[in-house]
Amino acid sequence: MKCPSCASTKIATYDTRRIEDMVVRKRRCTNCDERFYTLEQYMSEEELEEIQEIRRKQLHDTRGESKEQGQEAA
């Protein structure tokens, strides 16, 4: 994880709370002292696979577009 302010990886968690099916963590960057929250939510294996498939398709579509643009320029 990186700090949203300075991109440092020196992050400390100073509070964790469970709210329904989520976990909220209060974090602090030890480099710049930026404070921020992260939210973790349970996801079933099927939901995760569906998201991964969508990302694979998006990556494939993006790569296809860049190849087509390269061919048009030649």
Side-chain angles (χ1 to χ4, degrees):
M1 174 172 296
K2 292 184 180 181
C3 171
S5 181
C6 73
S8 172
T9 57
K10 297 177 183 178
I11 306 295
T13 301
Y14 63 93
D15 188 30
T16 300
R17 295 177 190 241
R18 186 167 184 81
I19 302 172
E20 295 177 17
D21 64 338
M22 297 179 286
V23 176
V24 178
R25 298 189 197 277
K26 292 181 182 178
R27 300 182 187 260
R28 182 180 65 84
C29 175
T30 58
N31 186 53
C32 70
D33 208 36
E34 175 80 12
R35 296 175 192 277
F36 58 98
Y37 294 86
T38 57
L39 178 68
E40 300 169 25
Q41 188 171 10
Y42 169 79
M43 183 179 295
S44 71
E45 209 169 308
E46 293 82 20
E47 290 171 315
L48 179 61
E49 289 171 2
E50 185 177 321
I51 289 172
Q52 289 172 336
E53 182 61 28
I54 290 169
R55 287 184 178 162
R56 272 189 230 110
K57 287 179 182 179
Q58 288 174 339
L59 181 62
H60 178 73
D61 291 345
T62 302
R63 288 184 177 170
E65 288 174 9
S66 63
K67 285 182 183 178
E68 289 172 8
Q69 289 173 354
Q71 290 174 354
E72 289 174 8

